Amino acid sequence: MKKYLFFLLALLPMALAFSACSDDNDLPDVDFDITFSGAQNVDGVLYVVQGQPFEVTGIKVTNREEGKGAGISAADYYWDYVYVGTSIQPPYGFEFEVSESTPLGRHQLDIECPVFAVDKTLAQAYCSFSVQVVASADDIPAESQPETHVTPKISATKDK
């Protein structure tokens, strides 16, 4: 019996040494303000005119924790789930080619960014937008804005 008790006491320090801290995955709580040129945001859908230039002109990161900073170091862009490029220089904009041959209708724009925030774990942010390519500016609803405010989906980064 003493052997078992001694064995259990020996395991206790090992259990404490290998336990994880509760804040190992303390993810950032951030918002993104994304500005566009050549696109209009209508209820979360970006309207773009076929054959006209379309550009994400900037991504601004705001930490929702008062008084603490946050930022990104790059932005990867995907159009219809296909990687099209990366921006590594602030304000992390990117220009898309929406040519005359781009099909009218719905498309998908995804933005993926590493997020750094004070006292938080490094994380990955994801923003997705439906993009409606239209034939002319007359097809864009009247209530539109050239920017959008989003809370991205945040997940922990994985070590590579």
Side-chain angles (χ1 to χ4, degrees):
M1 183 71 170
K2 287 183 182 181
K3 289 181 190 177
Y4 294 116
L5 184 58
F6 178 70
F7 180 71
L8 288 174
L9 287 174
L11 286 179
L12 183 61
M14 287 182 17
L16 294 175
F18 292 110
S19 66
C21 297
S22 63
D23 64 349
D24 279 352
N25 284 325
D26 192 11
L27 299 175
D29 186 13
V30 296
D31 287 329
F32 284 6
D33 288 310
I34 303 173
T35 53
F36 305 97
S37 172
Q40 295 293 319
N41 177 19
V42 180
D43 295 328
V45 176
L46 301 178
Y47 284 81
V48 177
V49 178
Q50 185 182 45
Q52 298 294 316
F54 162 52
E55 182 179 0
V56 173
T57 56
I59 301 172
K60 180 183 173 202
V61 181
T62 306
N63 194 337
R64 294 173 77 183
E65 271 191 62
E66 194 71 31
K68 294 191 176 183
I72 62 174
S73 61
D76 294 330
Y77 290 91
Y78 299 84
W79 180 266
D80 288 338
Y81 308 103
V82 176
Y83 172 79
V84 291
T86 298
S87 177
I88 59 170
Q89 195 169 19
Y92 307 105
F94 192 83
E95 188 173 337
F96 296 89
E97 184 176 336
V98 182
S99 67
E100 293 292 334
S101 63
T102 302
L104 296 175
R106 288 279 168 134
H107 296 272
Q108 182 74 25
L109 168 63
D110 297 309
I111 305 171
E112 183 178 319
C113 309
V115 178
F116 305 90
V118 174
D119 298 331
K120 300 294 180 180
T121 302
L122 175 64
Q124 201 71 15
Y126 303 92
C127 298
S128 292
F129 301 95
S130 289
V131 179
Q132 183 74 31
V133 177
V134 295
S136 74
D138 296 334
D139 297 328
I140 299 175
E143 300 285 325
S144 63
Q145 301 173 342
E147 63 182 44
T148 186
H149 179 81
V150 296
T151 300
K153 179 182 174 189
I154 303 285
S155 68
T157 57
K158 296 186 173 144
D159 295 336
K160 293 182 180 182

